[in-house]
Amino acid sequence: MASQKKSAVGFIFITLLIDFTGFGIIIPVLPKLIEELTGGGLSVAAIYGGWLTISYSVMQFIGAPILGGLSDRFGRRPVLLGSLFGLGIDYIFLAFAPTIAWLFLGRIIAGITGASFTTAMAYIADVSEPEKRAQNFGMVGAAFGIGFIVGPVVGGLFSQFGLRIPFLISAGLALINWLYGYFILPESLAAENRRAFDWKRANPVGSLLHIKKYPALAGLLAALFLLYISGHAVQSSWTYYTMEKFHWNEAWVGYSLGFVGIVVGVVQGGLIRVIIPKIGQVNAVYYGLVLYIIGFVLFAFATQGWMMFAFMLPYGLAGIFGPAMQGIISNSVEANGQGEIQGVTAGLMSAAAIIGPLVMTNLFAYFTNPKHAVYFPGAPFILAAFLTVIGLFICSASLKKYHS
């Protein structure tokens, strides 16, 4: 039984790794594919790219609680397998998309199937002993880190054989994982532990409505939301920005994102264990926000491509903010409210993933359009810095009570 549980957790790790890797693979090549399908330049591609990200995020926002509810009713296995198969079909859609409309259809499918993250987390909880649950949940962060390092590099390297090749690689990985799961993956949720599907619990807006239960945390949650939006200056604009300003090809975009993954992995996987206990959670929040502001401004005014690699260091070190803020928020809530507050922060992240790409990609498109008087492709990073400054002031006012 212990061996079965261990292999099941390993499969879930591989599932999430493939999800994150597949997403990372297409990042370097998506702008050029959009250009090919629309006949426009990078400014036009950025606008379409923003809407593609939004379509993905909206469907994930809607789909996550629904898939979670379905997995409680029918078990984790069928939902996970369905998601993996759908993910493979999505990448095939993208690989052979003849028009931009097909690309949107593929991203909508990906958003629904990408919501398997919720079911995967539930599967880990099912098969983990209480004392090992936190350790197994930590594998999710490891899968994200590895996927975001490997994915963009693979996408950048194989793009030289054609813009569609990385999508076919992602499709192959997803479908192989689906086949493996079909024959190997056991069900983790016993029949007696299942419950009827309830549309009230599957309401994607429900988690956001719980914010009103925590008025003392309103300031911290607002600051967190602003930073989530700011983060899309990097997540949604990086590829377009570096291609426009430094004329990077898909391979160099992949290398740069892989380096981002390494820096973030070092900080999240090791340095935070030393830095946060030494300086405290409150100071880690302040230093992290200041480093984010510095990183955004440096990205905006970089004049050479190599500078983007150098400026990733302060930006990556700013990652001490997230765990420190999560720790403060978690410590402010009773034990029986931990799941609910995590649902609130997840809801804020999903909402930011809808707003952020729209704002940042359209801002980039405006300031790179030759028809406009001002040319400044770094505009999304300046907006991100401004929003983070606001978040810093909000945190300063909200965290005074935590000072000894």
Side-chain angles (χ1 to χ4, degrees), residues 25-26 88 91-96 163-175:
I25 283 174
I26 69 173
Y91 288 130
I92 293 175
F93 259 88
L94 298 179
F96 295 101
L163 291 177
R164 314 283 180 136
I165 299 301
F167 297 98
L168 292 175
I169 294 173
S170 294
L173 288 173
L175 293 176

mmCIF file with all atom_site columns, all heavy atoms in Angstrom, residues 25-26 88 91-96 163-175:
data_model
loop_
_atom_site.group_PDB
_atom_site.id
_atom_site.type_symbol
_atom_site.label_atom_id
_atom_site.label_alt_id
_atom_site.label_comp_id
_atom_site.label_asym_id
_atom_site.label_entity_id
_atom_site.label_seq_id
_atom_site.pdbx_PDB_ins_code
_atom_site.Cartn_x
_atom_site.Cartn_y
_atom_site.Cartn_z
_atom_site.occupancy
_atom_site.B_iso_or_equiv
_atom_site.pdbx_formal_charge
_atom_site.auth_seq_id
_atom_site.auth_comp_id
_atom_site.auth_asym_id
_atom_site.auth_atom_id
_atom_site.pdbx_PDB_model_num
ATOM 1   N N   . ILE A 1 25  ? 6.854   25.508 -22.800 1.00 0.00 ? 25  ILE A N   1
ATOM 2   C CA  . ILE A 1 25  ? 7.373   25.243 -24.145 1.00 0.00 ? 25  ILE A CA  1
ATOM 3   C C   . ILE A 1 25  ? 6.823   26.228 -25.164 1.00 0.00 ? 25  ILE A C   1
ATOM 4   O O   . ILE A 1 25  ? 7.543   26.686 -26.060 1.00 0.00 ? 25  ILE A O   1
ATOM 5   C CB  . ILE A 1 25  ? 7.039   23.793 -24.567 1.00 0.00 ? 25  ILE A CB  1
ATOM 6   C CG1 . ILE A 1 25  ? 7.996   22.804 -23.879 1.00 0.00 ? 25  ILE A CG1 1
ATOM 7   C CG2 . ILE A 1 25  ? 7.131   23.611 -26.079 1.00 0.00 ? 25  ILE A CG2 1
ATOM 8   C CD1 . ILE A 1 25  ? 7.664   21.344 -24.122 1.00 0.00 ? 25  ILE A CD1 1
ATOM 9   N N   . ILE A 1 26  ? 5.559   26.603 -25.026 1.00 0.00 ? 26  ILE A N   1
ATOM 10  C CA  . ILE A 1 26  ? 4.945   27.428 -26.068 1.00 0.00 ? 26  ILE A CA  1
ATOM 11  C C   . ILE A 1 26  ? 5.206   28.922 -25.881 1.00 0.00 ? 26  ILE A C   1
ATOM 12  O O   . ILE A 1 26  ? 4.955   29.702 -26.800 1.00 0.00 ? 26  ILE A O   1
ATOM 13  C CB  . ILE A 1 26  ? 3.421   27.183 -26.146 1.00 0.00 ? 26  ILE A CB  1
ATOM 14  C CG1 . ILE A 1 26  ? 2.707   27.731 -24.913 1.00 0.00 ? 26  ILE A CG1 1
ATOM 15  C CG2 . ILE A 1 26  ? 3.134   25.708 -26.351 1.00 0.00 ? 26  ILE A CG2 1
ATOM 16  C CD1 . ILE A 1 26  ? 1.196   27.669 -25.025 1.00 0.00 ? 26  ILE A CD1 1
ATOM 17  N N   . GLY A 1 88  ? -3.641  17.195 -24.289 1.00 0.00 ? 88  GLY A N   1
ATOM 18  C CA  . GLY A 1 88  ? -2.978  16.718 -25.500 1.00 0.00 ? 88  GLY A CA  1
ATOM 19  C C   . GLY A 1 88  ? -3.695  17.191 -26.759 1.00 0.00 ? 88  GLY A C   1
ATOM 20  O O   . GLY A 1 88  ? -3.058  17.613 -27.730 1.00 0.00 ? 88  GLY A O   1
ATOM 21  N N   . TYR A 1 91  ? -2.905  20.918 -27.485 1.00 0.00 ? 91  TYR A N   1
ATOM 22  C CA  . TYR A 1 91  ? -1.621  21.180 -28.135 1.00 0.00 ? 91  TYR A CA  1
ATOM 23  C C   . TYR A 1 91  ? -1.651  20.793 -29.614 1.00 0.00 ? 91  TYR A C   1
ATOM 24  O O   . TYR A 1 91  ? -0.986  21.424 -30.443 1.00 0.00 ? 91  TYR A O   1
ATOM 25  C CB  . TYR A 1 91  ? -0.501  20.442 -27.403 1.00 0.00 ? 91  TYR A CB  1
ATOM 26  C CG  . TYR A 1 91  ? -0.167  21.032 -26.060 1.00 0.00 ? 91  TYR A CG  1
ATOM 27  C CD1 . TYR A 1 91  ? -0.079  20.233 -24.925 1.00 0.00 ? 91  TYR A CD1 1
ATOM 28  C CD2 . TYR A 1 91  ? 0.034   22.398 -25.908 1.00 0.00 ? 91  TYR A CD2 1
ATOM 29  C CE1 . TYR A 1 91  ? 0.218   20.769 -23.683 1.00 0.00 ? 91  TYR A CE1 1
ATOM 30  C CE2 . TYR A 1 91  ? 0.326   22.947 -24.667 1.00 0.00 ? 91  TYR A CE2 1
ATOM 31  C CZ  . TYR A 1 91  ? 0.415   22.131 -23.568 1.00 0.00 ? 91  TYR A CZ  1
ATOM 32  O OH  . TYR A 1 91  ? 0.703   22.672 -22.339 1.00 0.00 ? 91  TYR A OH  1
ATOM 33  N N   . ILE A 1 92  ? -2.427  19.758 -29.952 1.00 0.00 ? 92  ILE A N   1
ATOM 34  C CA  . ILE A 1 92  ? -2.585  19.400 -31.360 1.00 0.00 ? 92  ILE A CA  1
ATOM 35  C C   . ILE A 1 92  ? -3.331  20.511 -32.104 1.00 0.00 ? 92  ILE A C   1
ATOM 36  O O   . ILE A 1 92  ? -2.977  20.875 -33.232 1.00 0.00 ? 92  ILE A O   1
ATOM 37  C CB  . ILE A 1 92  ? -3.321  18.052 -31.494 1.00 0.00 ? 92  ILE A CB  1
ATOM 38  C CG1 . ILE A 1 92  ? -2.437  16.915 -30.949 1.00 0.00 ? 92  ILE A CG1 1
ATOM 39  C CG2 . ILE A 1 92  ? -3.695  17.768 -32.956 1.00 0.00 ? 92  ILE A CG2 1
ATOM 40  C CD1 . ILE A 1 92  ? -3.117  15.565 -30.918 1.00 0.00 ? 92  ILE A CD1 1
ATOM 41  N N   . PHE A 1 93  ? -4.365  21.051 -31.461 1.00 0.00 ? 93  PHE A N   1
ATOM 42  C CA  . PHE A 1 93  ? -5.080  22.199 -32.027 1.00 0.00 ? 93  PHE A CA  1
ATOM 43  C C   . PHE A 1 93  ? -4.106  23.329 -32.340 1.00 0.00 ? 93  PHE A C   1
ATOM 44  O O   . PHE A 1 93  ? -4.131  23.927 -33.419 1.00 0.00 ? 93  PHE A O   1
ATOM 45  C CB  . PHE A 1 93  ? -6.133  22.707 -31.029 1.00 0.00 ? 93  PHE A CB  1
ATOM 46  C CG  . PHE A 1 93  ? -7.534  22.269 -31.341 1.00 0.00 ? 93  PHE A CG  1
ATOM 47  C CD1 . PHE A 1 93  ? -8.022  21.061 -30.863 1.00 0.00 ? 93  PHE A CD1 1
ATOM 48  C CD2 . PHE A 1 93  ? -8.366  23.061 -32.107 1.00 0.00 ? 93  PHE A CD2 1
ATOM 49  C CE1 . PHE A 1 93  ? -9.317  20.660 -31.140 1.00 0.00 ? 93  PHE A CE1 1
ATOM 50  C CE2 . PHE A 1 93  ? -9.655  22.677 -32.396 1.00 0.00 ? 93  PHE A CE2 1
ATOM 51  C CZ  . PHE A 1 93  ? -10.137 21.461 -31.913 1.00 0.00 ? 93  PHE A CZ  1
ATOM 52  N N   . LEU A 1 94  ? -3.250  23.627 -31.372 1.00 0.00 ? 94  LEU A N   1
ATOM 53  C CA  . LEU A 1 94  ? -2.311  24.733 -31.540 1.00 0.00 ? 94  LEU A CA  1
ATOM 54  C C   . LEU A 1 94  ? -1.296  24.427 -32.639 1.00 0.00 ? 94  LEU A C   1
ATOM 55  O O   . LEU A 1 94  ? -0.893  25.321 -33.399 1.00 0.00 ? 94  LEU A O   1
ATOM 56  C CB  . LEU A 1 94  ? -1.587  25.012 -30.218 1.00 0.00 ? 94  LEU A CB  1
ATOM 57  C CG  . LEU A 1 94  ? -2.458  25.455 -29.041 1.00 0.00 ? 94  LEU A CG  1
ATOM 58  C CD1 . LEU A 1 94  ? -1.604  25.670 -27.798 1.00 0.00 ? 94  LEU A CD1 1
ATOM 59  C CD2 . LEU A 1 94  ? -3.228  26.725 -29.366 1.00 0.00 ? 94  LEU A CD2 1
ATOM 60  N N   . ALA A 1 95  ? -0.855  23.170 -32.711 1.00 0.00 ? 95  ALA A N   1
ATOM 61  C CA  . ALA A 1 95  ? 0.163   22.804 -33.692 1.00 0.00 ? 95  ALA A CA  1
ATOM 62  C C   . ALA A 1 95  ? -0.342  22.947 -35.122 1.00 0.00 ? 95  ALA A C   1
ATOM 63  O O   . ALA A 1 95  ? 0.431   23.301 -36.016 1.00 0.00 ? 95  ALA A O   1
ATOM 64  C CB  . ALA A 1 95  ? 0.629   21.364 -33.447 1.00 0.00 ? 95  ALA A CB  1
ATOM 65  N N   . PHE A 1 96  ? -1.622  22.677 -35.334 1.00 0.00 ? 96  PHE A N   1
ATOM 66  C CA  . PHE A 1 96  ? -2.155  22.696 -36.701 1.00 0.00 ? 96  PHE A CA  1
ATOM 67  C C   . PHE A 1 96  ? -3.143  23.834 -36.935 1.00 0.00 ? 96  PHE A C   1
ATOM 68  O O   . PHE A 1 96  ? -3.853  23.831 -37.945 1.00 0.00 ? 96  PHE A O   1
ATOM 69  C CB  . PHE A 1 96  ? -2.820  21.351 -37.017 1.00 0.00 ? 96  PHE A CB  1
ATOM 70  C CG  . PHE A 1 96  ? -1.861  20.194 -37.032 1.00 0.00 ? 96  PHE A CG  1
ATOM 71  C CD1 . PHE A 1 96  ? -1.773  19.328 -35.956 1.00 0.00 ? 96  PHE A CD1 1
ATOM 72  C CD2 . PHE A 1 96  ? -1.031  19.984 -38.121 1.00 0.00 ? 96  PHE A CD2 1
ATOM 73  C CE1 . PHE A 1 96  ? -0.886  18.266 -35.962 1.00 0.00 ? 96  PHE A CE1 1
ATOM 74  C CE2 . PHE A 1 96  ? -0.133  18.922 -38.136 1.00 0.00 ? 96  PHE A CE2 1
ATOM 75  C CZ  . PHE A 1 96  ? -0.058  18.064 -37.051 1.00 0.00 ? 96  PHE A CZ  1
ATOM 76  N N   . LEU A 1 163 ? 7.868   26.545 -36.120 1.00 0.00 ? 163 LEU A N   1
ATOM 77  C CA  . LEU A 1 163 ? 7.125   27.113 -35.001 1.00 0.00 ? 163 LEU A CA  1
ATOM 78  C C   . LEU A 1 163 ? 6.124   26.129 -34.403 1.00 0.00 ? 163 LEU A C   1
ATOM 79  O O   . LEU A 1 163 ? 5.737   26.257 -33.243 1.00 0.00 ? 163 LEU A O   1
ATOM 80  C CB  . LEU A 1 163 ? 6.377   28.375 -35.462 1.00 0.00 ? 163 LEU A CB  1
ATOM 81  C CG  . LEU A 1 163 ? 7.238   29.584 -35.813 1.00 0.00 ? 163 LEU A CG  1
ATOM 82  C CD1 . LEU A 1 163 ? 6.357   30.723 -36.332 1.00 0.00 ? 163 LEU A CD1 1
ATOM 83  C CD2 . LEU A 1 163 ? 8.032   30.057 -34.583 1.00 0.00 ? 163 LEU A CD2 1
ATOM 84  N N   . ARG A 1 164 ? 5.712   25.141 -35.180 1.00 0.00 ? 164 ARG A N   1
ATOM 85  C CA  . ARG A 1 164 ? 4.691   24.202 -34.703 1.00 0.00 ? 164 ARG A CA  1
ATOM 86  C C   . ARG A 1 164 ? 5.283   23.009 -33.942 1.00 0.00 ? 164 ARG A C   1
ATOM 87  O O   . ARG A 1 164 ? 4.560   22.316 -33.223 1.00 0.00 ? 164 ARG A O   1
ATOM 88  C CB  . ARG A 1 164 ? 3.878   23.667 -35.886 1.00 0.00 ? 164 ARG A CB  1
ATOM 89  C CG  . ARG A 1 164 ? 3.403   24.744 -36.888 1.00 0.00 ? 164 ARG A CG  1
ATOM 90  C CD  . ARG A 1 164 ? 2.251   25.519 -36.386 1.00 0.00 ? 164 ARG A CD  1
ATOM 91  N NE  . ARG A 1 164 ? 1.791   26.536 -37.332 1.00 0.00 ? 164 ARG A NE  1
ATOM 92  C CZ  . ARG A 1 164 ? 0.527   26.759 -37.603 1.00 0.00 ? 164 ARG A CZ  1
ATOM 93  N NH1 . ARG A 1 164 ? -0.418  26.029 -37.037 1.00 0.00 ? 164 ARG A NH1 1
ATOM 94  N NH2 . ARG A 1 164 ? 0.176   27.723 -38.447 1.00 0.00 ? 164 ARG A NH2 1
ATOM 95  N N   . ILE A 1 165 ? 6.564   22.759 -34.114 1.00 0.00 ? 165 ILE A N   1
ATOM 96  C CA  . ILE A 1 165 ? 7.193   21.578 -33.508 1.00 0.00 ? 165 ILE A CA  1
ATOM 97  C C   . ILE A 1 165 ? 7.070   21.564 -31.979 1.00 0.00 ? 165 ILE A C   1
ATOM 98  O O   . ILE A 1 165 ? 6.734   20.521 -31.397 1.00 0.00 ? 165 ILE A O   1
ATOM 99  C CB  . ILE A 1 165 ? 8.673   21.465 -33.937 1.00 0.00 ? 165 ILE A CB  1
ATOM 100 C CG1 . ILE A 1 165 ? 8.777   21.305 -35.456 1.00 0.00 ? 165 ILE A CG1 1
ATOM 101 C CG2 . ILE A 1 165 ? 9.353   20.304 -33.223 1.00 0.00 ? 165 ILE A CG2 1
ATOM 102 C CD1 . ILE A 1 165 ? 8.061   20.082 -35.998 1.00 0.00 ? 165 ILE A CD1 1
ATOM 103 N N   . PRO A 1 166 ? 7.325   22.679 -31.270 1.00 0.00 ? 166 PRO A N   1
ATOM 104 C CA  . PRO A 1 166 ? 7.188   22.641 -29.806 1.00 0.00 ? 166 PRO A CA  1
ATOM 105 C C   . PRO A 1 166 ? 5.794   22.225 -29.340 1.00 0.00 ? 166 PRO A C   1
ATOM 106 O O   . PRO A 1 166 ? 5.654   21.540 -28.308 1.00 0.00 ? 166 PRO A O   1
ATOM 107 C CB  . PRO A 1 166 ? 7.509   24.078 -29.394 1.00 0.00 ? 166 PRO A CB  1
ATOM 108 C CG  . PRO A 1 166 ? 8.416   24.584 -30.462 1.00 0.00 ? 166 PRO A CG  1
ATOM 109 C CD  . PRO A 1 166 ? 7.885   23.971 -31.718 1.00 0.00 ? 166 PRO A CD  1
ATOM 110 N N   . PHE A 1 167 ? 4.758   22.601 -30.090 1.00 0.00 ? 167 PHE A N   1
ATOM 111 C CA  . PHE A 1 167 ? 3.399   22.221 -29.713 1.00 0.00 ? 167 PHE A CA  1
ATOM 112 C C   . PHE A 1 167 ? 3.196   20.715 -29.856 1.00 0.00 ? 167 PHE A C   1
ATOM 113 O O   . PHE A 1 167 ? 2.516   20.084 -29.044 1.00 0.00 ? 167 PHE A O   1
ATOM 114 C CB  . PHE A 1 167 ? 2.382   22.972 -30.580 1.00 0.00 ? 167 PHE A CB  1
ATOM 115 C CG  . PHE A 1 167 ? 2.413   24.463 -30.400 1.00 0.00 ? 167 PHE A CG  1
ATOM 116 C CD1 . PHE A 1 167 ? 3.109   25.260 -31.285 1.00 0.00 ? 167 PHE A CD1 1
ATOM 117 C CD2 . PHE A 1 167 ? 1.757   25.068 -29.348 1.00 0.00 ? 167 PHE A CD2 1
ATOM 118 C CE1 . PHE A 1 167 ? 3.149   26.636 -31.129 1.00 0.00 ? 167 PHE A CE1 1
ATOM 119 C CE2 . PHE A 1 167 ? 1.786   26.433 -29.178 1.00 0.00 ? 167 PHE A CE2 1
ATOM 120 C CZ  . PHE A 1 167 ? 2.492   27.225 -30.071 1.00 0.00 ? 167 PHE A CZ  1
ATOM 121 N N   . LEU A 1 168 ? 3.796   20.135 -30.895 1.00 0.00 ? 168 LEU A N   1
ATOM 122 C CA  . LEU A 1 168 ? 3.687   18.685 -31.088 1.00 0.00 ? 168 LEU A CA  1
ATOM 123 C C   . LEU A 1 168 ? 4.419   17.931 -29.974 1.00 0.00 ? 168 LEU A C   1
ATOM 124 O O   . LEU A 1 168 ? 3.962   16.874 -29.532 1.00 0.00 ? 168 LEU A O   1
ATOM 125 C CB  . LEU A 1 168 ? 4.252   18.299 -32.452 1.00 0.00 ? 168 LEU A CB  1
ATOM 126 C CG  . LEU A 1 168 ? 3.441   18.779 -33.671 1.00 0.00 ? 168 LEU A CG  1
ATOM 127 C CD1 . LEU A 1 168 ? 4.171   18.447 -34.960 1.00 0.00 ? 168 LEU A CD1 1
ATOM 128 C CD2 . LEU A 1 168 ? 2.052   18.151 -33.666 1.00 0.00 ? 168 LEU A CD2 1
ATOM 129 N N   . ILE A 1 169 ? 5.546   18.481 -29.530 1.00 0.00 ? 169 ILE A N   1
ATOM 130 C CA  . ILE A 1 169 ? 6.267   17.861 -28.412 1.00 0.00 ? 169 ILE A CA  1
ATOM 131 C C   . ILE A 1 169 ? 5.404   17.871 -27.160 1.00 0.00 ? 169 ILE A C   1
ATOM 132 O O   . ILE A 1 169 ? 5.289   16.869 -26.439 1.00 0.00 ? 169 ILE A O   1
ATOM 133 C CB  . ILE A 1 169 ? 7.601   18.599 -28.158 1.00 0.00 ? 169 ILE A CB  1
ATOM 134 C CG1 . ILE A 1 169 ? 8.540   18.421 -29.350 1.00 0.00 ? 169 ILE A CG1 1
ATOM 135 C CG2 . ILE A 1 169 ? 8.262   18.094 -26.878 1.00 0.00 ? 169 ILE A CG2 1
ATOM 136 C CD1 . ILE A 1 169 ? 9.799   19.249 -29.255 1.00 0.00 ? 169 ILE A CD1 1
ATOM 137 N N   . SER A 1 170 ? 4.761   19.018 -26.881 1.00 0.00 ? 170 SER A N   1
ATOM 138 C CA  . SER A 1 170 ? 3.888   19.124 -25.714 1.00 0.00 ? 170 SER A CA  1
ATOM 139 C C   . SER A 1 170 ? 2.716   18.155 -25.819 1.00 0.00 ? 170 SER A C   1
ATOM 140 O O   . SER A 1 170 ? 2.327   17.523 -24.832 1.00 0.00 ? 170 SER A O   1
ATOM 141 C CB  . SER A 1 170 ? 3.367   20.561 -25.575 1.00 0.00 ? 170 SER A CB  1
ATOM 142 O OG  . SER A 1 170 ? 4.416   21.459 -25.292 1.00 0.00 ? 170 SER A OG  1
ATOM 143 N N   . ALA A 1 171 ? 2.144   18.038 -27.027 1.00 0.00 ? 171 ALA A N   1
ATOM 144 C CA  . ALA A 1 171 ? 1.030   17.100 -27.229 1.00 0.00 ? 171 ALA A CA  1
ATOM 145 C C   . ALA A 1 171 ? 1.467   15.669 -26.959 1.00 0.00 ? 171 ALA A C   1
ATOM 146 O O   . ALA A 1 171 ? 0.758   14.905 -26.284 1.00 0.00 ? 171 ALA A O   1
ATOM 147 C CB  . ALA A 1 171 ? 0.492   17.231 -28.656 1.00 0.00 ? 171 ALA A CB  1
ATOM 148 N N   . GLY A 1 172 ? 2.644   15.298 -27.470 1.00 0.00 ? 172 GLY A N   1
ATOM 149 C CA  . GLY A 1 172 ? 3.152   13.951 -27.255 1.00 0.00 ? 172 GLY A CA  1
ATOM 150 C C   . GLY A 1 172 ? 3.363   13.642 -25.782 1.00 0.00 ? 172 GLY A C   1
ATOM 151 O O   . GLY A 1 172 ? 2.992   12.559 -25.297 1.00 0.00 ? 172 GLY A O   1
ATOM 152 N N   . LEU A 1 173 ? 3.930   14.594 -25.053 1.00 0.00 ? 173 LEU A N   1
ATOM 153 C CA  . LEU A 1 173 ? 4.148   14.393 -23.620 1.00 0.00 ? 173 LEU A CA  1
ATOM 154 C C   . LEU A 1 173 ? 2.834   14.176 -22.874 1.00 0.00 ? 173 LEU A C   1
ATOM 155 O O   . LEU A 1 173 ? 2.708   13.283 -22.034 1.00 0.00 ? 173 LEU A O   1
ATOM 156 C CB  . LEU A 1 173 ? 4.889   15.599 -23.037 1.00 0.00 ? 173 LEU A CB  1
ATOM 157 C CG  . LEU A 1 173 ? 6.365   15.752 -23.411 1.00 0.00 ? 173 LEU A CG  1
ATOM 158 C CD1 . LEU A 1 173 ? 6.904   17.081 -22.887 1.00 0.00 ? 173 LEU A CD1 1
ATOM 159 C CD2 . LEU A 1 173 ? 7.184   14.598 -22.851 1.00 0.00 ? 173 LEU A CD2 1
ATOM 160 N N   . ALA A 1 174 ? 1.841   15.023 -23.174 1.00 0.00 ? 174 ALA A N   1
ATOM 161 C CA  . ALA A 1 174 ? 0.554   14.930 -22.483 1.00 0.00 ? 174 ALA A CA  1
ATOM 162 C C   . ALA A 1 174 ? -0.148  13.609 -22.781 1.00 0.00 ? 174 ALA A C   1
ATOM 163 O O   . ALA A 1 174 ? -0.704  12.967 -21.883 1.00 0.00 ? 174 ALA A O   1
ATOM 164 C CB  . ALA A 1 174 ? -0.332  16.112 -22.875 1.00 0.00 ? 174 ALA A CB  1
ATOM 165 N N   . LEU A 1 175 ? -0.131  13.178 -24.048 1.00 0.00 ? 175 LEU A N   1
ATOM 166 C CA  . LEU A 1 175 ? -0.836  11.951 -24.411 1.00 0.00 ? 175 LEU A CA  1
ATOM 167 C C   . LEU A 1 175 ? -0.120  10.710 -23.891 1.00 0.00 ? 175 LEU A C   1
ATOM 168 O O   . LEU A 1 175 ? -0.764  9.714  -23.521 1.00 0.00 ? 175 LEU A O   1
ATOM 169 C CB  . LEU A 1 175 ? -1.008  11.887 -25.931 1.00 0.00 ? 175 LEU A CB  1
ATOM 170 C CG  . LEU A 1 175 ? -1.953  12.958 -26.506 1.00 0.00 ? 175 LEU A CG  1
ATOM 171 C CD1 . LEU A 1 175 ? -1.985  12.881 -28.026 1.00 0.00 ? 175 LEU A CD1 1
ATOM 172 C CD2 . LEU A 1 175 ? -3.356  12.807 -25.933 1.00 0.00 ? 175 LEU A CD2 1
#
